[in-house]
Amino acid sequence: MANMGTDRLARAAERFLGKGETALDERERRVLQTAIGRRALSEDTSEVFDEGSSFGERLADGVAAFGGSWTFLIGFGLAIFGWVLCNLLLRGVAPDPYPFIFLNLLLSMLAAVQAPVIMMSQNRQASKDRLVTSHDYECNLKAEIEIMGLHEKVDRMRDDDLKQLLIKQQEQIDLLMRLVQARAGDAQVPESP
């Protein structure tokens, strides 16, 4: 049974992709096997990608999502405005008087931590995009293979119909020939007096 599957795979590889079974890469092999087995290839690539994520990767995605939101920008702007206002009103006893050196230190530390986290999240998004692109390629390849298979079936059906039509036409021609010969035979027989 396994030999039969390998044989079908080899024939499909040659017929649809124009290469031998040994020349197939892993994606092409998987696509052909799902096409031969009449199985679905589609999957939720986001779910597949997220299943393999570590806690740190999910945290980086969450920080990047929150850090790039209007909620963060508005909240952060209000916090800075409150810090500046508080320190200006307290003047002499302010914990961070003008020129707000401690605030500057906090902003620098936030930027130093937030930038690599956002870059990690962008790298993960690029990896996810590559996974989606690869899956799209596989789905498109399977669709092309299925369409080529449908074309072959339609061509076979058309050829079978043409053969049947030619057989019926030949039968009709043979029948007409017999009728013509029978009429010609009847016309040659002389009438008895």
Side-chain angles (χ1 to χ4, degrees), residues 113-130:
V113 171
Q114 195 176 23
V117 170
I118 290 172
M119 288 174 60
M120 283 189 291
S121 180
Q122 287 175 338
N123 289 339
R124 281 183 34 79
Q125 185 61 44
S127 296
K128 188 175 188 178
D129 291 344
R130 282 191 297 276

Side-chain angles (χ1 to χ4, degrees), residues 2-51:
N3 188 27
M4 190 169 118
T6 304
D7 191 39
R8 288 180 71 191
L9 182 66
R11 283 194 317 264
E14 187 63 40
R15 189 171 78 206
F16 296 123
L17 301 177
K19 53 173 112 173
E21 179 195 0
T22 56
L24 296 175
D25 65 27
E26 186 57 36
R27 290 188 308 177
E28 292 168 335
R29 182 177 303 279
R30 185 173 49 247
V31 168
L32 281 173
Q33 287 171 337
T34 58
I36 290 170
R38 303 269 187 242
R39 294 185 318 268
L41 181 67
S42 298
E43 62 187 8
D44 184 358
T45 51
S46 293
E47 188 176 304
V48 170
F49 188 78
D50 290 342
E51 284 175 359

Side-chain angles (χ1 to χ4, degrees), residues 3 17 52 60 67 92 96 104 106 109 144 148 153 160 163-164 170 174 176-177 193:
N3 188 27
L17 301 177
D96 186 24
N104 191 15
L106 291 177
M109 288 190 313
E144 286 180 31
M148 286 187 281
K153 286 179 184 178
D160 290 346
K163 286 177 187 174
Q164 292 298 322
Q170 189 60 47
D174 291 344
L176 285 172
M177 292 298 288

Side-chain angles (χ1 to χ4, degrees), residues 32-180:
L32 281 173
Q33 287 171 337
T34 58
I36 290 170
R38 303 269 187 242
R39 294 185 318 268
L41 181 67
S42 298
E43 62 187 8
D44 184 358
T45 51
S46 293
E47 188 176 304
V48 170
F49 188 78
D50 290 342
E51 284 175 359
S53 298
S54 69
F55 173 74
E57 291 169 334
R58 288 192 306 274
L59 180 64
D61 289 343
V63 168
F66 179 70
S69 69
W70 282 108
T71 303
F72 173 78
L73 289 174
I74 292 169
F76 194 66
L78 290 174
I80 289 175
F81 179 75
W83 181 274
V84 169
L85 186 63
C86 178
N87 280 290
L88 286 177
L89 292 176
L90 293 175
R91 291 185 196 229
V93 290
D96 186 24
Y98 181 82
F100 314 114
I101 295 172
F102 186 65
L103 176 63
N104 191 15
L105 174 67
L106 291 177
L107 292 174
S108 297
M109 288 190 313
L110 177 66
V113 171
Q114 195 176 23
V117 170
I118 290 172
M119 288 174 60
M120 283 189 291
S121 180
Q122 287 175 338
N123 289 339
R124 281 183 34 79
Q125 185 61 44
S127 296
K128 188 175 188 178
D129 291 344
R130 282 191 297 276
L131 177 67
V132 168
T133 302
S134 175
H135 187 261
D136 286 348
Y137 167 76
E138 290 176 8
C139 288
N140 290 339
L141 181 60
K142 183 175 182 210
E144 286 180 31
I145 289 169
E146 294 290 342
I147 289 169
M148 286 187 281
L150 286 173
H151 276 288
E152 287 179 355
K153 286 179 184 178
V154 169
D155 290 345
R156 258 193 323 271
M157 288 173 54
R158 187 192 66 221
D159 290 346
D160 290 346
D161 287 346
L162 286 173
K163 286 177 187 174
Q164 292 298 322
L165 183 62
L166 288 173
I167 290 169
K168 286 182 182 180
Q169 283 181 334
Q170 189 60 47
E171 289 172 358
Q172 290 173 349
I173 290 171
D174 291 344
L175 180 61
L176 285 172
M177 292 298 288
R178 284 194 304 269
L179 285 173
V180 167

